[in-house]
Each structure stands twice: as structure tokens, then as C-alpha cells.
Amino acid sequence: MARRDLTGVVDFSVLEAATAGIDDISDEILGLFMHQASIWSPMLTTDQDGWRDAAHTLRGAGGGIGAKGLAEVCAEAEAADEASAEGVLMRVRDALDLALADVAAYRHELALKSLKG
């Protein structure tokens, strides 16, 4: 997986602007995003009391790296009533999976780039 595998769900120019294009910092931030995703994604179900907190945290984390779609659906989840929450949370999980795939491809490209010097 490399940059050619990006789907476009993450606008990495947002991240690159925040990190001044410094690859090591970008990679570190993306690693933190992946860590946040691993912590909070199990809570993206109405079976968990903290599902709104999970959506809120992933909203900020996603927005910070350029995952606008993830941030938007997380905002919907935060505002959802109990009756519609599970459906919206399913969309959050799907958006998170897509963002994580793009992050993996981008990080792979950064790793390849670092090997080339």
C-alpha cells in the first residue's frame, strides 16, 4: 500500500500545512490518530455509555488530519438522538475505516520516502 492507494477521503494537505510538510511530524501525528482510533472505536456503539465522547474525540482527531467526512459524520453522531444513534455510529465506523486505510497508505509512502533518503 502506498500513496497510489489513497482514496481521497483524507485531504492530507491539511496535515501537511499543520506540520509544514515535515514528514517525521506528519508520521507521528498519523500514528497518534491511529492510536486514538484503536482506543475509541470500540466505543462507537450505543451499548457503550461513552459513545458520544468517542465520536467527539474522533471528530477532532479526524479534522486535524484532513478527514473531513469522518469529522462531519462524527458531528452527526454527537447530535443524534438515541433512536437514530446506532445507524449514525455505523456510518462513523465506516468513515473511520476508510480514513484509516488512507492513513496506512500515506504512512507507507512516508516510510518508502525515508528509505530513499
Side-chain angles (χ1 to χ4, degrees):
M1 190 177 278
R3 185 173 283 217
R4 67 182 175 273
D5 298 314
L6 294 176
T7 66
V9 299
V10 178
D11 177 0
F12 289 102
S13 68
V14 172
L15 174 68
E16 292 164 356
T19 64
I22 301 171
D23 291 345
D24 289 344
I25 297 172
S26 294
D27 187 57
E28 184 175 349
I29 289 172
L30 292 173
L32 291 170
F33 173 79
M34 293 178 77
H35 183 70
Q36 288 287 318
S38 71
I39 290 170
W40 293 99
S41 62
M43 297 179 71
L44 294 172
T45 175
T46 55
D47 294 340
Q48 298 290 320
D49 290 334
W51 63 266
R52 285 186 203 277
D53 294 331
H56 178 78
T57 300
L58 291 171
R59 175 184 174 187
I65 66 164
K68 182 180 177 187
L70 174 61
E72 288 172 351
V73 75
C74 284
E76 288 178 42
E78 285 184 87
D81 59 22
E82 294 293 325
S84 63
E86 194 58 49
V88 177
L89 289 171
M90 185 180 347
R91 291 180 30 231
V92 170
R93 291 189 300 268
D94 289 345
L96 180 59
D97 286 346
L98 292 172
L100 286 170
D102 265 17
V103 166
Y106 190 88
R107 290 187 83 197
H108 183 90
E109 183 70 20
L110 290 176
L112 291 175
K113 189 174 164 184
S114 74
L115 293 174
K116 294 177 184 173

